[in-house]
Amino acid sequence: ALHLAQAEDGKGLDDFQKVYNAIAEKLRDEDEFDGYIGYGPNLVRLSWHVSGTFDKNDNSGGSFGGTYRFKKEADDPANKGLQNAARFLEPIAKKFPWISHGDLYTLAGVTALQEMQGPKIPWRPGRVDADEKDAPENGRLPDASKDGNYVRHYFGRFGFSDQEIVALLGAHCLGKTHLENSGYEGPWGAATNTFTNEFFVNLLNENWKLEKNDAGNEQYNSNKGYMMLPTDYGLIQDGKFKKYVEKYAKDQDAFFEDFKSAYVKLLENGIDFSKLGKAYVFKTLDEQDS
Ligand code: HEM
Ligand SMILES: O=C1CCNc2c1cnc1ccccc21
């Protein structure tokens, strides 16, 4: 059965907006991280990795239990580099001890996306910390060296359509790969901390060359110093994915709308929120200044 969401008792929009603001202010303060990219992309990746372990076949893994806090999950080689996001969130967890880890990890991704000018992401609390025994085993996160068919099959576990898969991968407009984390390198040139549809524009506009990188892994590089993972490139090799890449390259609003829906589905997979009221939509820092 799905996990039943149980919101932190007595906590409402204002309480979670305070957590949002603490994360958002820390993002602004610590802007020098990773060559002035900042922590935003890393926090978004964490929110995806804690959710991407979900398996609809036995409802194991997923964001509900906050089990990333245990070494068993945090030390998954696929999570290399996310220690930065975890360290960033430690003082936030101490300042707001009432928030569950699952809610904190997902709210941090929502905060980062909105503060990087992404779409408003409706978010619901109610994830409840589980035990270490409930932490999923390593190996549930995807392998970047594969092609489009692998990506379609991989996301089939969450019940995602082709359109949802392409929209979700648009998050690769943010940040960069780091050789010491994943064995892929770059791009500094296109690494951004602003949420746009440029991942799709890059895919279609650059001429990509498959090259071996310094770790001996193959990746696609362009003469502008941009890069794509083989799984990224799979989105234009596969005709059914490609039409969505073209749609989003042309229409950023459509991308924002579809990303928002797919990202909420990713973060909420395996959880029954029906007992809760409607989702919260947080104000950005800029919206609160004025
Ligand atoms: C086929 C599925 C996917 C694969 C194989 C994949 C693989 C990767 C790899 C290898 C990196 C580089 C990590 C590093 O070296 O630091 C990365 C970074 C990133 N991924 Fe993905 N990813 C996938 C899907 C997603 C999804 C669904 C999201 C979010 C919705 C996402 C968000 C990010 C972000 C924001 C970064 C940049 C992190 C940073 O700059 O620190 N990825 N991904
Ligand atoms: O085209 C880009 C923009 C900068 N970031 C990425 C791109 C492509 N693939 C990526 C894959 C993982 C992380 C960041 C990126």
Side-chain angles (χ1 to χ4, degrees):
L2 294 185
H3 298 292
L4 188 62
Q6 294 156 273
E8 290 83 349
D9 60 344
K11 302 297 178 198
L13 173 64
D14 295 350
D15 302 292
F16 292 106
Q17 182 75 60
K18 286 194 184 80
V19 182
Y20 176 107
N21 290 352
I23 295 167
E25 274 147 21
K26 193 171 164 66
L27 278 172
R28 284 191 178 175
D29 289 349
E30 299 178 18
D31 62 343
E32 75 298 331
F33 174 70
D34 201 14
Y36 284 89
I37 293 173
Y39 282 93
N42 208 248
L43 289 175
V44 172
R45 185 164 199 239
L46 176 64
S47 70
W48 134 240
H49 273 211
V50 301
S51 306
T53 57
F54 178 69
D55 185 342
K56 71 178 190 306
N57 297 312
D58 59 1
N59 197 45
S60 59
S63 70
F64 187 79
T67 49
Y68 173 87
R69 72 189 188 281
F70 298 118
K71 278 176 67 57
K72 175 182 168 189
E73 185 171 333
D75 290 354
D76 182 339
N79 283 332
K80 198 144 182 321
L82 292 177
Q83 293 82 355
N84 294 301
R87 198 183 53 250
F88 177 96
L89 290 173
E90 274 162 16
I92 306 288
K94 285 198 179 49
K95 186 170 179 189
F96 304 95
W98 50 264
I99 191 168
S100 68
H101 286 84
D103 282 351
L104 178 62
Y105 297 144
T106 53
L107 177 55
V110 168
T111 305
L113 282 162
Q114 293 195 178
E115 292 298 301
M116 291 189 284
Q117 286 103 58
K120 284 295 177 87
I121 313 274
W123 178 83
R124 292 187 283 194
R127 295 168 186 78
V128 179
D129 282 3
D131 302 327
E132 180 149 22
K133 67 172 175 31
D134 299 316
E137 74 291 347
N138 293 359
R140 294 188 178 206
L141 294 163
D143 174 348
S145 69
K146 306 286 189 206
D147 66 3
N149 279 323
Y150 166 86
V151 171
R152 176 175 290 109
H153 178 261
Y154 173 80
F155 280 98
R157 304 195 346 238
F158 310 131
F160 278 144
S161 66
D162 283 358
Q163 173 266 317
E164 288 172 317
I165 293 167
V166 176
L168 210 51
L169 268 164
H172 278 175
C173 63
L174 298 170
K176 67 184 289 292
T177 57
H178 309 78
L179 209 70
E180 68 280 12
N181 290 347
S182 60
Y184 293 95
E185 184 47 55
W188 277 109
T192 73
N193 51 21
T194 309
F195 195 80
T196 67
N197 65 345
E198 81 173 74
F199 168 73
F200 303 110
V201 174
N202 293 348
L203 263 176
L204 295 172
N205 287 7
E206 298 292 301
N207 48 1
W208 299 105
K209 278 197 315 300
L210 184 60
E211 296 174 334
K212 253 195 200 326
N213 66 27
D214 293 349
N217 299 317
E218 291 195 315
Q219 64 181 59
Y220 289 85
N221 297 319
S222 83
N223 51 19
K224 272 195 216 149
Y226 293 3
M227 66 78 73
M228 288 287 168
L229 298 167
T231 45
D232 293 328
Y233 191 74
L235 299 184
I236 52 175
Q237 282 174 312
D238 179 302
K240 289 190 289 299
F241 284 141
K242 188 170 183 184
K243 69 174 191 286
Y244 295 112
V245 174
E246 289 161 344
K247 174 181 177 186
Y248 297 140
K250 272 201 294 285
D251 185 346
Q252 178 157 287
D253 293 345
F255 165 51
F256 271 37
E257 187 54 31
D258 291 352
F259 175 83
K260 176 202 69 179
S261 304
Y263 182 69
V264 167
K265 186 169 171 179
L266 175 75
L267 268 46
E268 298 197 342
N269 241 333
I271 306 171
D272 173 1
F273 285 96
S274 59
K275 296 281 172 303
L276 287 179
K278 60 182 181 27
Y280 297 131
V281 177
F282 299 107
K283 291 185 185 313
T284 62
L285 285 188
D286 288 344
E287 284 170 332
Q288 296 168 72
D289 285 352
S290 49

